[in-house]
Amino acid sequence: MQNRFTFALCLEHMSKEDKNNGAEIADVLLIGAGIMSATLGLILKELEPNLHIEIYERLDVAAAESSDAWNNAGTGHSAFCELNYTPEKADGTIETHKAIQIAENFEISKQFWAYLLEKNLLSNPETFINEIPHISFVWGEKNVSFLEKRYQALQKCNLFEAMQFTTNPDQIAAWMPLVMNGRPADEKVAATKMDLGTDVNFGSLTRDMFNYLKDTSNVSLNFNHEVRKLKKNSDGNWEVKVKNRSTGEKKKRTAKFVFIGAGGGSLPLLEKADIPEGNGFGGFPVSGQWLRCTNIEIIAKHHAKVYGKAAVGAPPMSVPHLDTRMINGKQALLFGPYAGFSTKFLKSGSYLDLPKSIKLDNIRPMLSAGIQNLDLTKYLIDQVRQSPEDRLEALKEYLPTAELKDWELEYAGQRVQVIKRKPSGGGILEFGTEVVSAADGSIAALLGASPGASTAVSIMLDLLERCFPDKLESNAWQHKIKEMLPTYGKYLAEDNDLLKATRSRTSKILKIETE
């Protein structure tokens, strides 16, 4: 059994120089300048202020891919309104485990952001988080029944205690007048509402986090730099080959720990790392588009995130929603996303990304998953073939009086859904995130998408448990983590007084207090 990587080893050799270019070996090398790398970098820097951290991003700005506000399908996932997190089981009951977990994890994220503000590592919460009600809306007898059962099931958990439910059209119209305007008077409708909902601009948050991080000691942020190869050396460190995309210059860097947080680009890099734990993983790319409202009057009349039920065969990122967002200080209104298929793994990627990702160890799982998800493939093809009129008809289900002249098409980001190898050798398509780490903890990669950014802090805590177990158990790290996350090790869903106190504190700091 290999010795697990620990920061004790890391700090022991901080003075050692990289024999390739005379530069100090990096303690931590982060690939990708998105919300995941920003979160991990800040957590580690708070835990170990002397760490030497290097960040490499292939584009010229941070958060330009999946973390960007225009590319992110769900900004502020807290499971309040996303119906795909509460599926109806065969016996008619509602599964709430995932929704509770996501809601709990979002509270952890809010605690971390509140800590950053209290310590003046971030300055203005209004640049990245704003109070926006979260509403689930359905129509038709079957869906109304589902929503009521969902509401009753979630009421058993204190995290959702403040949720309101109604089948009264007048009440729903008060919550979202544009959605009810022009709708048949005899149509059966239902909605739930959580005033605790928020809109999070992860692009803005990520850039703010990196702006602080890059100005701290022993941290370098390198844009227009693409990681081309990764190889583990005999001494346990990682040799990373990097190319400057602006000048063409190539260099080698050595790091004791590598995190691959490159969104859709993580899978190819994991394959290049060639660790046994990465064998059998594949990826299924899904693209997206929005209809963006251009009419200022319409934008001003809608103030909510309204989520509905996904079409049969649709991936989670394609759950339709009429979504109020705050982008660059202005209110925006989006509808979608409309899913599509592209062989690119990144919005700025190559059409060869998918074929290049197919290897001997993952070809069977990928073929197996593809056969099992033919409905999804058909759905994506149908979405790609949609005309502007088709997209308008989908919008009218949520905004009956919508006119095409008030909306324009906006291209969203790329997602790569995880394909995992089953013990039988086949594969399964998973809609979530997956941390893949080496046995010795020297490298880790994040694959997948939703809920992603909203639960970034919890995902990084999982990574710390995998990759730095000894340091995580130390008194110093335990004390600091509890300072950053006061409820660390406790469950808000099991302690109503703690939940109320925590929400009250974080809401005040984040300036998202409800009236």
Side-chain angles (χ1 to χ4, degrees), residues 230-300:
L230 301 100
K231 184 181 74 171
K232 190 171 185 181
N233 294 331
S234 58
D235 61 4
N237 293 328
W238 285 88
E239 181 180 279
V240 182
K241 294 184 179 180
V242 185
K243 179 180 179 180
N244 186 319
R245 299 179 74 209
S246 299
T247 65
E249 177 188 0
K250 298 177 182 178
K251 65 178 180 180
K252 294 179 181 179
R253 294 298 295 120
T254 303
K256 300 179 181 71
F257 172 76
V258 175
F259 172 63
I260 306 174
S266 291
L267 177 61
L269 290 171
L270 176 62
E271 292 177 334
K272 290 178 180 180
D274 196 27
I275 59 174
E277 295 78 8
N279 291 340
F281 280 95
F284 186 84
V286 179
S287 61
Q289 295 176 322
W290 296 107
L291 280 181
R292 180 171 69 89
C293 187
T294 57
N295 187 318
I296 297 174
E297 293 183 2
I298 294 174
I299 295 171

Side-chain angles (χ1 to χ4, degrees), residues 65-294:
E65 284 280 353
S66 296
S67 299
D68 184 73
W70 293 110
N71 296 339
N72 200 323
T75 54
H77 275 301
S78 45
F80 292 159
C81 59
E82 301 92 340
L83 302 181
N84 56 302
Y85 295 146
T86 50
E88 186 172 4
K89 296 190 288 188
D91 63 0
T93 59
I94 304 298
E95 174 58 61
T96 61
H97 173 75
K98 187 172 185 179
I100 293 170
Q101 182 181 49
I102 291 171
E104 180 100 36
N105 289 347
F106 190 65
E107 296 297 332
I108 292 173
S109 291
K110 289 195 295 182
Q111 288 181 63
F112 181 62
W113 303 334
Y115 166 83
L116 298 179
L117 288 161
E118 285 183 309
K119 295 295 182 180
N120 294 316
L121 309 190
L122 300 178
S123 57
N124 184 6
E126 294 168 327
T127 63
F128 67 87
I129 188 166
N130 289 275
E131 175 195 339
I132 299 287
H134 285 199
I135 296 175
S136 299
F137 175 66
V138 298
W139 57 90
E141 189 171 339
K142 183 179 179 180
N143 289 336
V144 168
S145 174
F146 162 78
L147 191 63
E148 184 169 12
K149 287 193 292 184
R150 177 184 187 268
Y151 167 73
Q152 295 293 346
L154 290 176
Q155 284 296 287
K156 297 175 184 177
C157 177
N158 60 347
L159 290 161
F160 302 90
E161 193 176 76
M163 180 178 285
Q164 303 172 65
F165 170 81
T166 186
T167 57
N168 185 326
D170 293 334
Q171 178 62 72
I172 298 173
W175 291 349
M176 43 182 187
L178 292 183
V179 173
M180 294 303 290
N181 187 21
R183 197 169 292 276
D186 60 349
E187 185 174 41
K188 289 191 174 182
V189 292
T192 59
K193 181 171 182 267
M194 282 286 282
D195 289 321
L196 291 169
T198 56
D199 172 67
V200 183
N201 184 329
F202 285 102
S204 178
L205 174 60
T206 301
R207 287 184 282 272
D208 286 351
M209 292 167 77
F210 275 124
N211 282 338
Y212 166 77
L213 197 57
K214 69 180 177 61
D215 291 332
T216 60
S217 61
N218 297 319
V219 174
S220 64
L221 178 57
N222 305 275
F223 292 116
N224 285 313
H225 280 71
E226 184 173 21
V227 172
R228 308 297 293 270
K229 291 183 180 180
L230 301 100
K231 184 181 74 171
K232 190 171 185 181
N233 294 331
S234 58
D235 61 4
N237 293 328
W238 285 88
E239 181 180 279
V240 182
K241 294 184 179 180
V242 185
K243 179 180 179 180
N244 186 319
R245 299 179 74 209
S246 299
T247 65
E249 177 188 0
K250 298 177 182 178
K251 65 178 180 180
K252 294 179 181 179
R253 294 298 295 120
T254 303
K256 300 179 181 71
F257 172 76
V258 175
F259 172 63
I260 306 174
S266 291
L267 177 61
L269 290 171
L270 176 62
E271 292 177 334
K272 290 178 180 180
D274 196 27
I275 59 174
E277 295 78 8
N279 291 340
F281 280 95
F284 186 84
V286 179
S287 61
Q289 295 176 322
W290 296 107
L291 280 181
R292 180 171 69 89
C293 187
T294 57

Side-chain angles (χ1 to χ4, degrees), residues 64-65 68-73 287-292 317 325 334-335 337-342 344 347 351 383-384 386 391 408-415:
E65 284 280 353
D68 184 73
W70 293 110
N71 296 339
N72 200 323
S287 61
Q289 295 176 322
W290 296 107
L291 280 181
R292 180 171 69 89
M317 69 165 286
R325 298 190 179 184
L334 309 178
F335 178 76
Y338 300 92
F341 177 77
S342 168
K344 290 182 178 183
K347 190 174 180 179
Y351 288 107
Q383 288 273 295
V384 171
Q386 281 190 326
R391 286 189 284 267
E408 66 181 24
L409 197 63
E410 182 86 27
Y411 285 89
Q414 285 284 125
R415 298 289 185 275

Side-chain angles (χ1 to χ4, degrees), residues 17-88:
E17 291 188 344
D18 186 340
K19 63 184 180 181
N20 295 309
N21 56 11
E24 182 183 285
I25 294 175
D27 297 314
V28 175
L29 191 147
L30 307 175
I31 304 175
I35 186 64
M36 296 298 173
S37 290
T39 301
L40 179 59
L42 260 178
I43 289 175
L44 288 175
K45 199 63 175 172
E46 287 298 291
L47 292 171
E48 297 279 357
N50 293 325
L51 284 181
H52 173 189
I53 299 177
E54 296 182 7
I55 306 123
Y56 293 94
E57 166 59 49
R58 66 189 296 272
L59 301 180
D60 57 359
V61 293
E65 284 280 353
S66 296
S67 299
D68 184 73
W70 293 110
N71 296 339
N72 200 323
T75 54
H77 275 301
S78 45
F80 292 159
C81 59
E82 301 92 340
L83 302 181
N84 56 302
Y85 295 146
T86 50
E88 186 172 4

